[in-house]
Amino acid sequence: GENVEQHPSTLSVQEGDSAVIKCTYSDSASNYFPWYKQELGKGPQLIIDIRSNVGEKKDQRIAVTLNKTAKHFSLHITETQPEDSAVYFCAASGGYSSASKIIFGSGTRLSIRP
Amino acid sequence: NAGVTQTPKFQVLKTGQSMTLQCAQDMNHNSMYWYRQDPGMGLRLIYYSASEGTTDKGEVPNGYNVSRLNKREFSLRLESAAPSQTSVYFCASSVGRGGNQPQHFGDGTRLSIL
């Protein structure tokens, strides 16, 4: 079945710097790649997603890139702010083994240093 | 607009006790999901319901049962709780039947089995 690996597990960056989180997936038929942000005590919230027919997508300070050949995708956060501190999850779905399911990575805890 | 509502928020059980976790969504979504979240393991799918009247197993279904009561409600039952089921449980919903749709999460039920 689909497997999603996420790195790093923890990331600390200076406020104002950029943060990058990377994920790889195993099912070449996967076609939907969302990113979720989870704040303490809350459920995950979708922040951006990308489909396999697109190589890059941006939304203000957040961008996601997808390399289908290499089967990896990344989240980029620029000009980080204290409110960006949270746990971030990547996910993949739509492949042959997960047509109705989303498989999540193990998460990255991002800390923004003032 | 409440979105996805989970009850209870916290629960402590003794080994062997049973309980039902409730989930309701008010977004007229077709699909609903139950996940468990354990430290360092991300979100793992327990069961999902692609549409009213259907349910299917996810990655970790053993020890759980589900009921899609109607389009709004999807409950998760632990028949005989075990310490290994100590976790945070999240319910989610999505508008479409496939996994390649954004999911909306509740804020979780924190369950401890003694």
PDB file of all heavy atoms in Angstrom, chain A residues 3-7 22-26 73 90 104-106:
ATOM      1  N   ASN A   3       2.800   4.483   1.182  1.00  0.00           N
ATOM      2  CA  ASN A   3       3.603   4.837   2.344  1.00  0.00           C
ATOM      3  C   ASN A   3       4.112   6.262   2.160  1.00  0.00           C
ATOM      4  O   ASN A   3       4.611   6.599   1.077  1.00  0.00           O
ATOM      5  CB  ASN A   3       4.781   3.872   2.491  1.00  0.00           C
ATOM      6  CG  ASN A   3       5.597   4.163   3.724  1.00  0.00           C
ATOM      7  OD1 ASN A   3       5.058   4.312   4.810  1.00  0.00           O
ATOM      8  ND2 ASN A   3       6.903   4.268   3.569  1.00  0.00           N
ATOM      9  N   VAL A   4       3.961   7.069   3.175  1.00  0.00           N
ATOM     10  CA  VAL A   4       4.410   8.460   3.101  1.00  0.00           C
ATOM     11  C   VAL A   4       5.435   8.700   4.201  1.00  0.00           C
ATOM     12  O   VAL A   4       5.157   8.449   5.371  1.00  0.00           O
ATOM     13  CB  VAL A   4       3.222   9.432   3.268  1.00  0.00           C
ATOM     14  CG1 VAL A   4       3.712  10.874   3.268  1.00  0.00           C
ATOM     15  CG2 VAL A   4       2.193   9.219   2.161  1.00  0.00           C
ATOM     16  N   GLU A   5       6.617   9.149   3.796  1.00  0.00           N
ATOM     17  CA  GLU A   5       7.673   9.461   4.754  1.00  0.00           C
ATOM     18  C   GLU A   5       7.900  10.968   4.796  1.00  0.00           C
ATOM     19  O   GLU A   5       7.944  11.622   3.742  1.00  0.00           O
ATOM     20  CB  GLU A   5       8.954   8.734   4.381  1.00  0.00           C
ATOM     21  CG  GLU A   5       8.842   7.218   4.506  1.00  0.00           C
ATOM     22  CD  GLU A   5      10.185   6.522   4.397  1.00  0.00           C
ATOM     23  OE1 GLU A   5      11.199   7.206   4.183  1.00  0.00           O
ATOM     24  OE2 GLU A   5      10.212   5.290   4.524  1.00  0.00           O
ATOM     25  N   GLN A   6       8.067  11.500   5.996  1.00  0.00           N
ATOM     26  CA  GLN A   6       8.164  12.949   6.190  1.00  0.00           C
ATOM     27  C   GLN A   6       9.418  13.284   6.991  1.00  0.00           C
ATOM     28  O   GLN A   6       9.715  12.629   7.993  1.00  0.00           O
ATOM     29  CB  GLN A   6       6.913  13.435   6.936  1.00  0.00           C
ATOM     30  CG  GLN A   6       6.852  14.928   7.155  1.00  0.00           C
ATOM     31  CD  GLN A   6       5.508  15.376   7.718  1.00  0.00           C
ATOM     32  OE1 GLN A   6       4.533  14.632   7.735  1.00  0.00           O
ATOM     33  NE2 GLN A   6       5.452  16.613   8.178  1.00  0.00           N
ATOM     34  N   HIS A   7      10.126  14.329   6.542  1.00  0.00           N
ATOM     35  CA  HIS A   7      11.356  14.762   7.210  1.00  0.00           C
ATOM     36  C   HIS A   7      11.466  16.283   7.169  1.00  0.00           C
ATOM     37  O   HIS A   7      11.046  16.909   6.192  1.00  0.00           O
ATOM     38  CB  HIS A   7      12.577  14.163   6.500  1.00  0.00           C
ATOM     39  CG  HIS A   7      12.594  12.689   6.492  1.00  0.00           C
ATOM     40  ND1 HIS A   7      12.975  11.936   7.573  1.00  0.00           N
ATOM     41  CD2 HIS A   7      12.230  11.816   5.521  1.00  0.00           C
ATOM     42  CE1 HIS A   7      12.859  10.663   7.262  1.00  0.00           C
ATOM     43  NE2 HIS A   7      12.415  10.555   6.039  1.00  0.00           N
ATOM     44  N   LYS A  22       9.864  18.112   3.882  1.00  0.00           N
ATOM     45  CA  LYS A  22       9.862  17.260   2.687  1.00  0.00           C
ATOM     46  C   LYS A  22       9.154  15.937   2.950  1.00  0.00           C
ATOM     47  O   LYS A  22       9.254  15.377   4.041  1.00  0.00           O
ATOM     48  CB  LYS A  22      11.300  16.999   2.242  1.00  0.00           C
ATOM     49  CG  LYS A  22      12.048  18.268   1.858  1.00  0.00           C
ATOM     50  CD  LYS A  22      13.451  17.974   1.386  1.00  0.00           C
ATOM     51  CE  LYS A  22      14.155  19.270   0.988  1.00  0.00           C
ATOM     52  NZ  LYS A  22      15.531  19.009   0.481  1.00  0.00           N
ATOM     53  N   CYS A  23       8.482  15.450   1.913  1.00  0.00           N
ATOM     54  CA  CYS A  23       7.786  14.164   1.997  1.00  0.00           C
ATOM     55  C   CYS A  23       8.020  13.351   0.732  1.00  0.00           C
ATOM     56  O   CYS A  23       8.136  13.934  -0.357  1.00  0.00           O
ATOM     57  CB  CYS A  23       6.290  14.361   2.207  1.00  0.00           C
ATOM     58  SG  CYS A  23       5.876  15.003   3.848  1.00  0.00           S
ATOM     59  N   THR A  24       8.077  12.040   0.890  1.00  0.00           N
ATOM     60  CA  THR A  24       8.125  11.136  -0.250  1.00  0.00           C
ATOM     61  C   THR A  24       6.956  10.167  -0.148  1.00  0.00           C
ATOM     62  O   THR A  24       6.473   9.866   0.947  1.00  0.00           O
ATOM     63  CB  THR A  24       9.441  10.348  -0.297  1.00  0.00           C
ATOM     64  OG1 THR A  24       9.560   9.576   0.907  1.00  0.00           O
ATOM     65  CG2 THR A  24      10.631  11.281  -0.402  1.00  0.00           C
ATOM     66  N   TYR A  25       6.490   9.693  -1.296  1.00  0.00           N
ATOM     67  CA  TYR A  25       5.402   8.726  -1.320  1.00  0.00           C
ATOM     68  C   TYR A  25       5.777   7.556  -2.206  1.00  0.00           C
ATOM     69  O   TYR A  25       6.679   7.659  -3.035  1.00  0.00           O
ATOM     70  CB  TYR A  25       4.094   9.391  -1.776  1.00  0.00           C
ATOM     71  CG  TYR A  25       4.115   9.970  -3.166  1.00  0.00           C
ATOM     72  CD1 TYR A  25       3.583   9.276  -4.254  1.00  0.00           C
ATOM     73  CD2 TYR A  25       4.648  11.233  -3.402  1.00  0.00           C
ATOM     74  CE1 TYR A  25       3.591   9.812  -5.526  1.00  0.00           C
ATOM     75  CE2 TYR A  25       4.659  11.785  -4.671  1.00  0.00           C
ATOM     76  CZ  TYR A  25       4.128  11.074  -5.728  1.00  0.00           C
ATOM     77  OH  TYR A  25       4.144  11.611  -6.995  1.00  0.00           O
ATOM     78  N   SER A  26       5.067   6.439  -2.046  1.00  0.00           N
ATOM     79  CA  SER A  26       5.475   5.224  -2.744  1.00  0.00           C
ATOM     80  C   SER A  26       4.575   4.859  -3.919  1.00  0.00           C
ATOM     81  O   SER A  26       5.042   4.234  -4.879  1.00  0.00           O
ATOM     82  CB  SER A  26       5.521   4.052  -1.758  1.00  0.00           C
ATOM     83  OG  SER A  26       4.242   3.842  -1.174  1.00  0.00           O
ATOM     84  N   PHE A  73       7.319  15.639  -2.526  1.00  0.00           N
ATOM     85  CA  PHE A  73       6.702  16.954  -2.496  1.00  0.00           C
ATOM     86  C   PHE A  73       7.130  17.669  -1.227  1.00  0.00           C
ATOM     87  O   PHE A  73       7.507  17.027  -0.240  1.00  0.00           O
ATOM     88  CB  PHE A  73       5.173  16.871  -2.621  1.00  0.00           C
ATOM     89  CG  PHE A  73       4.477  16.008  -1.608  1.00  0.00           C
ATOM     90  CD1 PHE A  73       3.639  16.579  -0.665  1.00  0.00           C
ATOM     91  CD2 PHE A  73       4.609  14.631  -1.618  1.00  0.00           C
ATOM     92  CE1 PHE A  73       2.964  15.807   0.257  1.00  0.00           C
ATOM     93  CE2 PHE A  73       3.946  13.838  -0.702  1.00  0.00           C
ATOM     94  CZ  PHE A  73       3.127  14.427   0.241  1.00  0.00           C
ATOM     95  N   CYS A  90       2.113  16.040   6.057  1.00  0.00           N
ATOM     96  CA  CYS A  90       1.851  15.857   4.645  1.00  0.00           C
ATOM     97  C   CYS A  90       0.998  14.597   4.478  1.00  0.00           C
ATOM     98  O   CYS A  90       0.891  13.788   5.404  1.00  0.00           O
ATOM     99  CB  CYS A  90       3.151  15.721   3.852  1.00  0.00           C
ATOM    100  SG  CYS A  90       4.138  14.258   4.275  1.00  0.00           S
ATOM    101  N   PHE A 104      -1.164   9.607   5.856  1.00  0.00           N
ATOM    102  CA  PHE A 104      -0.445  10.740   6.415  1.00  0.00           C
ATOM    103  C   PHE A 104       1.013  10.395   6.711  1.00  0.00           C
ATOM    104  O   PHE A 104       1.343   9.256   7.055  1.00  0.00           O
ATOM    105  CB  PHE A 104      -1.099  11.195   7.719  1.00  0.00           C
ATOM    106  CG  PHE A 104      -2.393  11.931   7.527  1.00  0.00           C
ATOM    107  CD1 PHE A 104      -3.583  11.245   7.376  1.00  0.00           C
ATOM    108  CD2 PHE A 104      -2.408  13.313   7.493  1.00  0.00           C
ATOM    109  CE1 PHE A 104      -4.782  11.921   7.192  1.00  0.00           C
ATOM    110  CE2 PHE A 104      -3.593  14.010   7.315  1.00  0.00           C
ATOM    111  CZ  PHE A 104      -4.778  13.305   7.161  1.00  0.00           C
ATOM    112  N   GLY A 105       1.870  11.410   6.608  1.00  0.00           N
ATOM    113  CA  GLY A 105       3.217  11.305   7.121  1.00  0.00           C
ATOM    114  C   GLY A 105       3.190  11.391   8.642  1.00  0.00           C
ATOM    115  O   GLY A 105       2.141  11.638   9.248  1.00  0.00           O
ATOM    116  N   SER A 106       4.354  11.222   9.255  1.00  0.00           N
ATOM    117  CA  SER A 106       4.423  11.147  10.717  1.00  0.00           C
ATOM    118  C   SER A 106       4.495  12.515  11.397  1.00  0.00           C
ATOM    119  O   SER A 106       4.475  12.591  12.617  1.00  0.00           O
ATOM    120  CB  SER A 106       5.616  10.293  11.137  1.00  0.00           C
ATOM    121  OG  SER A 106       6.802  10.802  10.564  1.00  0.00           O
TER     122      SER A 106
END
